Amino acid sequence: MKIVKFIICLLFGLMFINAGLDKFFHYNPMPELSEEQVKIYAAFGTIGWLMPLVGAVEVIGGLLCIFPKTRALGAIVILPVMVGIVLHNVYRDPSSVGIAISAVLILINIWIIIDNKEKYNALVK
């Protein structure tokens, strides 16, 4: 079970590292966007610091999720970004593939948080 957990967290972390690095280097092709999505991305572009911040959070959170000692912190760091991804896929890009991928990723994120709940005890006392 430990190896399965490590592989799932490794893949989860690598997906976020890849997504974060893509925000800096733009090496993945952009899918076809709807008019509404073009407006959203144009608005993100006018806020010059937003996408680099999200990219940095994804890279840092992905790296933290890979290593068991820092996995609990990585899951908390990635959680706000993951919520944004899910909300965007549900309300702005309601394709079944995007919703399915984001649902799997948020379930993995929640699983990591629940699996490390004892590490959060000091935060809630």
Side-chain angles (χ1 to χ4, degrees):
M1 184 62 180
K2 211 172 191 182
I3 292 175
V4 173
K5 184 191 310 184
F6 175 74
I7 291 172
I8 290 172
C9 292
L10 176 67
L11 293 175
F12 181 79
L14 289 175
M15 286 185 75
F16 277 97
I17 292 169
N18 179 46
L21 290 176
D22 185 53
K23 288 178 180 55
F24 293 107
F25 301 115
H26 308 289
Y27 53 85
N28 284 330
M30 282 290 285
E32 199 65 34
L33 299 175
S34 68
E35 271 187 48
E36 188 174 0
Q37 287 177 314
V38 169
K39 290 177 186 176
I40 291 170
Y41 284 107
F44 288 161
T46 59
I47 307 171
W49 55 266
L50 183 62
M51 292 313 269
L53 175 66
V54 172
V57 168
E58 287 177 343
V59 170
I60 292 168
L63 284 170
L64 290 171
C65 280
I66 291 174
F67 303 105
K69 194 169 193 166
T70 59
R71 192 169 289 151
L73 178 60
I76 293 296
V77 167
I78 287 180
L79 185 63
V81 174
M82 195 64 243
V83 169
I85 292 169
V86 170
L87 290 175
H88 176 79
N89 280 313
V90 169
Y91 292 109
R92 301 291 181 219
D93 183 26
S95 68
S96 58
V97 174
I99 293 172
I101 291 171
S102 62
V104 168
L105 289 176
I106 195 129
L107 288 174
I108 291 171
N109 197 348
I110 291 169
W111 171 66
I112 293 171
I113 290 170
I114 291 171
D115 191 50
N116 291 287
K117 65 183 174 201
E118 69 280 347
K119 294 182 181 178
Y120 305 120
N121 284 340
L123 295 174
V124 293
K125 285 186 179 184

